[in-house]
Amino acid sequence: MDLNLDELGDLIRRALAEDLGSGDVTSLATIPGAAKAHARIVAKAPVVCAGLPIAERVFRTLDADAGIKVLANDGDLVEKGRELLEIDACARAILAGERTALNFLAHLSGIASLTHRFVERLAGTNAKIRDTRKTTPGLRMLEKYAVRMGGGTNHRIGLYDAILLKENHITLAGGVTAALDQAHAYASSRMSPRETTAYEASVGPRDGSASASLPIQIEVRNEQELREALEAGAEAVLLDNMTPEAAGRCVKLARTLRRDCVVEISGGITIENARAYAETGADFLSSGALTHSAPAVDVSLLVDTIENN
């Protein structure tokens, strides 16, 4: 999942319009229109970068002739004080784009940095950390991109690229077995050649079964539901809101009954307990906190010089 800056153009323009409105009256009052400036964006703490191409595009949107040097790559872990971007452009354009560029960069780098912390906690285990759909409306693709820049993986993108049978679906469908039977029938009816997403590659069946074109995962809350799901042909299960001890027993059961079943643990995963959950032998841990609770990182834009023409 790479950034498509052409598709992001409208989002950037709307973000700028939200901030600028009818114009940056402070700069209009104090900065000559012909003035040029040199500025740099600096990391004020160690961060994992995400969103540098977006920050660059913000300034180019305001000044097509801007000279910009990107001094780090998305996905880089940089130290405090590291310069990330240099800008030579119209002074008013630099100041007009400052907050929008920093907002994108601070938010996305915050997600990447938190994800990196989880990745470090899971080092040496089989488990990978991945995100959820608990994203900021309109920013999902960016936030999931930031998770990947931090070393995490993406869960389904939306409601359209995988079937995830949760508690309410199971209740309305008539139980675990009924829900899975209906999901498998639906997936079989939709089979058609198409590109496989990263999420599908991670949870898709390994035995060539009928649902290969549309992954199916089912949420279970205890060993009884897990047994029923596996007996009904579950290819991927989500262990929901279990203690590490209960999750460990369920992972062991799943490996015994169906070794190739993909096992994910979700609900209450934190930096502090992630290692305990990972050591159960699960394939994935998922956490909404990656996107809904990641603190913004501290980045600043500093103007060094200004030239009046």
Side-chain angles (χ1 to χ4, degrees):
M1 184 189 300
D2 295 323
L3 287 179
N4 185 325
L5 292 176
D6 291 333
E7 292 182 359
L8 287 173
D10 183 58
L11 174 62
I12 291 170
R13 285 189 291 273
R14 284 189 285 113
L16 286 168
E18 177 182 62
D19 200 29
L20 290 173
S22 60
D24 175 5
V25 293
T26 309
S27 292
L28 289 171
T30 60
I31 309 297
K36 303 292 184 181
H38 174 81
R40 53 200 173 91
I41 292 178
V42 179
K44 303 299 288 295
V47 302
V48 176
C49 297
L52 285 167
I54 301 173
E56 177 183 4
R57 178 59 69 92
V58 167
F59 294 112
R60 292 199 186 282
T61 299
L62 293 166
D63 182 354
D65 297 323
I68 299 175
K69 292 182 180 178
V70 181
L71 304 175
N73 297 311
D74 278 2
D76 287 352
L77 173 61
V78 303
E79 68 279 4
K80 177 180 179 180
R82 171 77 176 271
E83 293 186 4
L84 307 178
L85 207 70
E86 287 187 353
I87 311 114
D88 288 284
C90 169
R92 286 182 178 177
I94 290 175
L95 297 179
E98 174 183 0
R99 180 44 50 200
T100 297
L102 293 182
N103 282 348
F104 278 121
L105 190 57
H107 177 56
L108 298 179
S109 296
I111 292 172
S113 298
L114 179 58
T115 303
H116 176 72
R117 291 179 62 200
F118 273 96
V119 171
E120 288 185 317
R121 290 287 288 169
L122 304 188
T125 72
N126 180 61
K128 295 180 175 62
I129 188 69
R130 66 181 174 191
D131 51 31
T132 71
R133 287 166 46 243
K134 295 178 182 178
T135 54
T136 307
L139 297 183
R140 179 170 297 171
M141 298 303 287
L142 284 182
E143 292 177 346
K144 283 181 172 283
Y145 166 82
V147 167
R148 292 181 64 82
M149 291 303 98
T153 59
N154 297 138
H155 205 280
R156 59 180 178 165
I157 303 304
L159 295 173
Y160 56 88
D161 61 331
I163 294 175
L164 175 52
L165 300 165
K166 298 175 72 68
E167 179 181 3
N168 289 333
H169 300 98
I170 294 167
T171 297
L172 294 170
V176 168
T177 300
L180 276 168
D181 286 347
Q182 292 170 43
H184 283 119
Y186 178 81
S188 296
S189 71
R190 279 175 49 101
M191 283 190 67
S192 61
R194 61 185 177 83
E195 183 178 353
T196 300
T197 67
Y199 172 67
E200 292 170 326
S202 72
V203 304
R206 304 172 191 175
D207 59 4
S209 63
S211 59
S213 66
L214 191 61
I216 299 171
Q217 185 180 29
I218 186 164
E219 179 181 282
V220 297
R221 298 168 294 179
N222 51 53
E223 291 184 42
Q224 180 181 345
E225 290 184 350
L226 175 61
R227 285 182 180 275
E228 184 178 355
L230 293 172
E231 290 170 1
E235 299 146 350
V237 295
L238 181 81
L239 310 181
D240 185 50
N241 284 309
M242 295 185 184
T243 64
E245 294 74 22
R249 291 193 296 271
C250 284
V251 172
K252 184 176 180 179
L253 177 61
R255 299 291 183 239
T256 300
L257 296 180
R258 181 164 182 167
R259 181 170 295 276
D260 64 351
C261 181
V262 175
V263 181
E264 177 179 355
I265 302 173
S266 183
I269 306 296
T270 66
I271 286 289
E272 290 73 25
N273 65 27
R275 183 79 188 188
Y277 281 107
E279 289 177 346
T280 64
D283 298 292
F284 295 99
L285 308 182
S286 57
S287 174
L290 295 182
T291 50
H292 70 58
S293 296
V297 301
D298 191 1
V299 287
S300 293
L301 183 144
L302 304 172
V303 175
D304 295 321
T305 59
I306 189 166
E307 174 185 343
N308 293 316
N309 290 339

